Amino acid sequence: MSVHKGLSGKEKAAILLISLGPDLSSQVMKHLKEEDIDVLTLEIAGTRRVATETGEVVMREFTDMYMAQQYINEGGIDYAKVLLEKALGKDKAVDVLGRLTASLRVRPFDFARKAEPAQLLNFLESEAPQTIALVLSYLAPNQSGGILASLGPDLQVEVARRIASMEGTSPDVIKEIERILERRIVSVSGQDYTRTGGVGAIVDILNNVDRQTEKTILNALDVEAPELSEEIKKRMFLFEDIIYLDDRAVQRFVREVDMSRDLPLALKASSDDVKQKIFKNLSSRAVETLKESVDYLGPVRMRDVEEAQQRIVAIIRRLEDQGEIVVGRGGGDEIVV
């Protein structure tokens, strides 16, 4: 029985990277998306042993698929079929091409998944509810959810109803709508827009004003645009900025932090400077325990690390609001009395 039949795609990918060795695998990882790296890291960590036969089968499958892809790029499916039959035999060639072409199939509106939600909303909100429903049904749920939430209340209900009741749609209709939408997006995205302003810009500005000015602006935004205010607050003070706190502030906030989970998680992907800043303000026994906790975690998802860091940042900002610690800013000398 063929070994690869019982393996999932991520299992094969993990086995391939293990078989390639650390030097080559690290080069491959550089070209992957962050979420794919997370999944593969966990899969590799959980793979205790790769049988020689399994490794050889996976490597051979990868080689066959790579060779088939090269042939397709050179001369198309028919050209690839002829060369693969000569190299692998008729049955093997059909199997390889079948698996490769299946993985190459593109879902409708694939181009739209790479577009900004605000850009898609701009094109879709003037369309008929049925058209909007069709496009949203093919997008990623988080992308569709963001667009749906931005529509007017009446249109939201109508689009949601149509998505729920949608059945089969003619391929010709899908292709026509896809063609029109893609043409509109390409025509706009091809224009040269200079980026000015945005959340990043206001964060940079607020990081360089005095505390009172910052509070005045954020308090007003809390009322007028609470979601925007929250987004700005999340980006005002970063976890890595802990290195700029004085020792007393570090000693104060670590007393509020979950030392068994949040701090080890947060330090898992932090810089050495941050680690040393925190270690410096803990007892030698606490440092030893913390280091053991970090090592004990093993591979973790970057999302979990970021959430832990954000919880710690929230504690630092709360302590600052209460006047218990001082976070220096660039809008003039900070006066401490």
Side-chain angles (χ1 to χ4, degrees):
M1 184 178 74
S2 178
V3 179
H4 77 265
K5 295 296 184 183
L7 297 174
S8 67
K10 66 178 180 180
E11 287 173 329
K12 291 181 191 176
I15 290 170
L16 176 64
L17 291 177
I18 292 170
S19 301
L20 288 175
D23 291 339
L24 284 175
S25 294
S26 63
Q27 295 301 312
V28 173
M29 287 281 203
K30 291 179 181 179
H31 300 281
L32 300 179
K33 297 177 181 177
E34 188 174 290
E35 57 264 32
D36 293 332
I37 293 175
D38 289 347
V39 170
L40 282 175
T41 299
L42 290 172
E43 189 64 38
I44 291 171
T47 304
R48 301 299 178 193
R49 179 177 171 275
V50 177
T52 302
E53 181 190 2
T54 303
E56 290 176 352
V57 168
V58 171
M59 287 288 284
R60 192 159 53 245
E61 179 181 341
F62 171 76
T63 302
D64 292 343
M65 297 282 276
Y66 176 78
M67 183 168 59
Q69 179 66 70
Q70 292 297 104
Y71 291 160
I72 290 173
N73 290 341
E74 289 176 25
I77 294 289
D78 292 336
Y79 175 78
K81 185 172 182 292
V82 172
L83 294 185
L84 287 173
E85 285 180 356
K86 290 180 180 179
L88 307 174
K90 187 172 183 179
D91 292 341
K92 186 69 180 294
V94 170
D95 179 53
V96 170
L97 280 175
R99 279 184 282 128
L100 182 60
T101 53
S103 67
L104 290 175
R105 284 193 192 109
V106 178
R107 279 169 54 85
F109 303 102
D110 183 64
F111 66 91
R113 295 185 189 91
K114 302 165 189 173
E116 293 290 335
Q119 189 181 36
L120 285 173
L121 176 65
N122 185 47
F123 292 118
L124 290 174
E125 60 186 351
S126 60
E127 296 291 337
Q130 184 64 29
T131 300
I132 301 174
L134 177 65
V135 176
L136 295 191
S137 67
Y138 280 103
L139 299 181
N142 62 329
Q143 195 177 20
S144 296
I147 294 171
L148 186 63
S150 300
L151 300 175
D154 293 340
L155 190 53
Q156 284 178 347
V157 174
E158 181 63 15
V159 169
R161 184 184 66 78
R162 288 178 179 271
I163 292 175
S165 60
M166 188 178 294
E167 295 180 355
T169 304
S170 165
D172 292 336
V173 172
I174 293 175
K175 286 180 181 178
E176 179 62 17
I177 295 174
E178 187 178 21
R179 183 185 63 79
I180 294 171
L181 183 59
E182 184 173 18
R183 188 175 60 197
R184 289 181 185 173
I185 290 177
V186 169
S187 67
V188 172
S189 60
Q191 298 176 26
D192 183 20
Y193 286 98
T194 302
R195 290 184 63 84
T196 57
V199 175
I202 192 60
V203 167
D204 288 340
I205 293 169
L206 291 180
N207 272 331
N208 287 279
V209 301
D210 60 273
R211 177 62 170 153
Q212 186 55 51
T213 301
E214 176 200 313
K215 289 184 72 171
T216 299
I217 293 172
L218 290 177
N219 287 343
L221 286 176
D222 281 339
V223 177
E224 298 174 13
E227 291 184 2
L228 175 60
S229 178
E230 186 61 30
E231 178 63 22
I232 292 171
K233 287 176 183 177
K234 285 181 180 178
R235 295 167 62 174
M236 282 290 297
F237 181 91
L238 302 178
F239 185 77
E240 293 294 318
D241 293 335
I242 284 174
I243 61 174
Y244 301 118
L245 297 177
D246 61 32
D247 290 344
R248 190 189 70 82
V250 176
Q251 293 162 17
R252 177 65 187 89
F253 86 73
V254 293
R255 297 206 302 267
E256 302 278 332
V257 171
D258 180 349
M259 296 286 287
S260 63
R261 181 65 178 171
D262 276 357
L263 192 54
L265 255 180
L267 293 181
K268 188 71 177 177
S270 70
S271 67
D272 288 339
D273 288 340
V274 171
K275 291 176 182 174
Q276 290 307 315
K277 182 73 173 182
I278 291 176
F279 293 161
K280 174 186 173 184
N281 288 282
L282 296 175
S283 68
S284 57
R285 184 172 182 177
V287 170
E288 184 179 347
T289 301
L290 182 56
K291 288 181 177 179
E292 289 176 355
S293 298
V294 173
D295 292 338
Y296 182 75
L297 286 173
V300 295
R301 294 183 185 279
M302 195 62 203
R303 181 174 64 252
D304 295 334
V305 172
E306 290 171 350
E307 289 174 354
Q309 290 180 349
Q310 193 56 51
R311 284 192 290 273
I312 293 174
V313 167
I315 290 172
I316 293 171
R317 289 190 61 82
R318 173 171 59 77
L319 292 173
E320 183 189 24
D321 285 339
Q322 294 171 350
E324 296 196 39
I325 64 174
V326 173
V327 176
R329 284 170 170 75
D333 294 334
E334 193 81 55
I335 300 174
V336 183
V337 295

